[in-house]
């Protein structure tokens, strides 16, 4: 593993040190997060973002909350921990990894009879979630890399790279694994309006990795597909329902429809923690609405007339019929997803 690996989340022993993603690519600065309340703000303001990364941050946030509670009997401790956990889980609504990590932490505390030892064991669990995430991404890369055609091209949307995870990335992890396997291909990445995760973060990651990528405006994707310049699409996911309907960054649905129209395979790469079997389909996935200013302003500068109204849904849902396969750490799930995803989650075994 090279020393140049991008790792957006570090535990210093007392605090979380987050690579501030609102300042990239212009500045590589970290923000210190020392309480669970500060972690909630960092997640909400997208200093840390991407489904797995906010899950890891949330796990540490629960551990910090536990550390900072004055233990006054088990019942009182658990009540305070549950209250903090609810706040953390509500920081952003769409990515299920956030709630998944909080639940895993609270379940561990609930099952632990020795209240004095809970904070230490929660911190160990957060570290475990952190470590596991990068290992999972590397496994996904191994399973998914064969889907990228050697000598061809791949399009990705938003940022599903190391920055969006503990390291290595999901969709970008698959692309990276293919590249490191010796394949050569062209990458296209969308700028991803309005928050510009593609232009700011994905382009930065590909530069660091030395993988050739060309930045395109979101609306250029259809033209390139029609011209035969894109051979496959790989994106990440924020929540996948039991039937394979997938919530991801706004604009993913349009890409998937265009891909089907142009007979281009459309792949999702996501860990099992992104699969939410409690939802039968994507209609019940809550879509985060973000501030209008993210649409009307660019880095603080107004680009629309003052007083104009905007709406800013941050995610959309791609129906399963547009998804060719879902790459997980248990293997590549193919339609019918109801069966293959269930096998991945419940069996956690090779699909
Ligand atoms: O709003 P963001 O930047 O948190 O949205 C991120 C995405 O939509 C990613 O594609 C998704 O979280 C997967 S990250 C590995």
């Amino acid at each position: 593993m090279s020393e140049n690996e991008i790792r957006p989340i570090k535990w210093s022993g007392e605090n979380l040190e987050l690579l501030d993603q609102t300042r990239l690519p212009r500045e590589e600065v970290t923000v210190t997060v020392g309480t669970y309340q500060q972690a909630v703000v960092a997640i909400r303001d997208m200093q840390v973002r991407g489904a797995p990364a906010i899950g890891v941050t949330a796990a540490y946030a629960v551990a910090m909350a536990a550390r900072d509670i004055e233990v006054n009997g088990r019942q009182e401790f658990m009540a305070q921990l549950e209250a903090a956990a609810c706040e953390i889980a509500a920081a952003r609504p769409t990515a299920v990894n956030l709630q998944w990590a909080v639940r895993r932490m609270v379940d561990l505390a609930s099952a632990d009879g020795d209240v004095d030892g809970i904070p230490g064991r929660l911190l160990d669990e957060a570290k475990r979630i952190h470590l596991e995430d990068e290992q999972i991404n590397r496994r996904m890369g191994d399973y998914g890399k064969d889907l990228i055609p050697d000598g061809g091209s791949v399009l990705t949307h938003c940022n599903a790279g190391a920055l969006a995870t503990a390291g290595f990335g999901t969709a970008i992890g698959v692309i990276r694994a293919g590249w490191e396997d010796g394949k050569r291909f062209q990458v296209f990445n969308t700028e991803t309006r309005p928050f510009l995760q593609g232009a700011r973060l994905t382009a930065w990651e590909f530069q660091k990795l030395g993988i050739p990528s060309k930045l395109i405006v979101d609306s250029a994707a259809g033209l390139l597909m029609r011209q035969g310049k894109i051979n496959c699409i790989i994106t990440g996911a924020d929540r996948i329902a039991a039937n394979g309907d997938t919530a991801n960054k706004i604009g993913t649905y349009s890409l998937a429809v265009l891909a089907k129209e142009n007979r281009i395979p459309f792949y999702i790469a996501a860990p099992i923690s992104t699969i939410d079997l409690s939802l039968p389909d994507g209609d019940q996935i809550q879509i985060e609405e973000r501030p209008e200013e993210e649409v009307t302003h660019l880095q603080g500068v107004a680009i629309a007339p003052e007083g104009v109204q905007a709406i800013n849904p941050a995610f959309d849902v791609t129906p399963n019929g547009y998804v060719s396969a879902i790459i997980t750490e248990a293997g590549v799930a193919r339609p019918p997803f109801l069966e293959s995803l269930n096998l991945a989650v419940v069996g956690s075994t090779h699909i």
Side-chain angles (χ1 to χ4, degrees):
M1 233 176 273
S2 120
E3 296 223 330
N4 295 327
E5 288 290 337
I6 302 164
R7 296 222 169 74
I9 304 167
K10 292 197 173 109
W11 177 252
S12 73
E14 286 284 313
N15 302 310
L16 268 182
E17 301 291 341
L18 302 175
L19 182 57
D20 187 344
Q21 299 193 31
T22 61
R23 313 261 293 261
L24 284 171
R26 282 184 305 195
E27 291 174 291
E28 291 180 34
V29 289
T30 54
V31 56
T32 301
V33 165
T35 64
Y36 86 84
Q37 291 94 337
Q38 288 171 357
V40 169
V41 172
I43 293 170
R44 199 193 52 216
D45 292 351
M46 293 171 68
Q47 289 172 306
V48 59
R49 38 123 329 260
I54 62 179
V56 171
T57 306
Y60 281 113
V62 175
M64 286 191 283
R67 174 194 66 190
D68 296 342
I69 295 170
E70 282 215 18
V71 180
N72 214 343
R74 189 166 197 292
Q75 212 178 346
E76 174 62 23
F77 175 86
M78 280 310 296
Q80 285 192 43
L81 189 68
E82 294 264 9
C86 283
E87 263 182 75
I88 298 162
R92 292 188 75 188
T94 305
V96 72
N97 307 61
L98 179 60
Q99 290 135 35
W100 168 88
V102 169
R103 183 49 42 215
R104 178 163 154 180
M105 297 290 284
V106 172
D107 283 353
L108 189 103
S110 305
D112 196 329
D114 164 29
V115 67
D116 293 324
I118 291 178
R121 279 187 285 277
L122 284 182
L123 183 57
D124 288 345
E125 187 70 358
K127 289 180 184 166
R128 203 168 296 126
I129 289 172
H130 191 176
L131 196 74
E132 279 172 7
D133 186 61
E134 183 169 338
Q135 293 166 346
I136 284 169
N137 294 338
R138 287 177 184 272
R139 282 213 293 283
M140 253 188 280
D142 270 346
Y143 282 124
K145 65 187 178 193
D146 291 341
L147 298 172
I148 303 178
D150 197 8
S153 64
V154 51
L155 172 85
T156 189
H157 184 53
C158 192
N159 173 268
L163 289 169
T165 64
F168 201 77
T170 59
I172 293 183
V174 171
I175 293 170
R176 175 176 168 177
W179 188 264
E180 288 177 351
D181 215 30
K183 285 186 185 175
R184 289 299 170 255
F185 45 80
Q186 175 66 52
V187 178
F188 294 97
N189 78 273
T190 61
E191 59 176 356
T192 320
R193 278 283 292 153
F195 209 70
L196 301 179
Q197 289 94 331
R200 295 188 303 105
L201 309 175
T202 298
W204 181 80
E205 281 201 34
F206 280 129
Q207 266 190 351
K208 288 219 168 222
L209 290 168
I211 299 176
S213 79
K214 285 187 179 153
L215 181 63
I216 60 169
V217 297
D218 298 352
S219 44
L223 174 73
L224 295 190
M225 287 191 225
R226 195 164 157 73
Q227 289 176 332
K229 291 189 175 147
I230 292 169
N231 300 122
C232 71
I233 300 178
I234 309 182
T235 75
D238 288 84
R239 194 183 291 241
I240 302 172
N243 70 347
D245 291 354
T246 297
N248 190 49
K249 181 51 55 195
I250 192 75
T252 305
Y253 171 45
S254 318
L255 290 173
V257 174
L258 281 165
K260 189 161 190 169
E261 172 70 18
N262 289 281
R263 296 193 178 78
I264 296 166
F266 179 85
Y267 304 119
I268 300 284
I272 287 170
S273 54
T274 302
I275 301 168
D276 184 355
L277 290 186
S278 76
L279 299 184
D281 58 51
D283 290 347
Q284 289 105 49
I285 298 177
Q286 191 185 338
I287 302 294
E288 179 182 9
E289 284 284 342
R290 296 206 44 97
E292 291 179 37
E293 290 69 38
E294 288 178 1
V295 178
T296 57
H297 290 64
L298 258 188
Q299 318 251 285
V301 178
I303 54 166
E306 209 185 309
V308 79
Q309 290 190 334
I311 56 164
N312 186 11
F315 300 95
D316 57 28
V317 175
T318 299
N320 59 11
Y322 294 100
V323 180
S324 312
I326 299 174
I327 305 154
T328 74
E329 68 269 36
V332 179
R334 300 225 175 234
F337 292 115
L338 209 52
E339 284 166 32
S340 56
L341 292 180
N342 194 60
L343 203 64
V345 177
V346 179
S348 270
T349 48
H350 184 66
I351 302 167

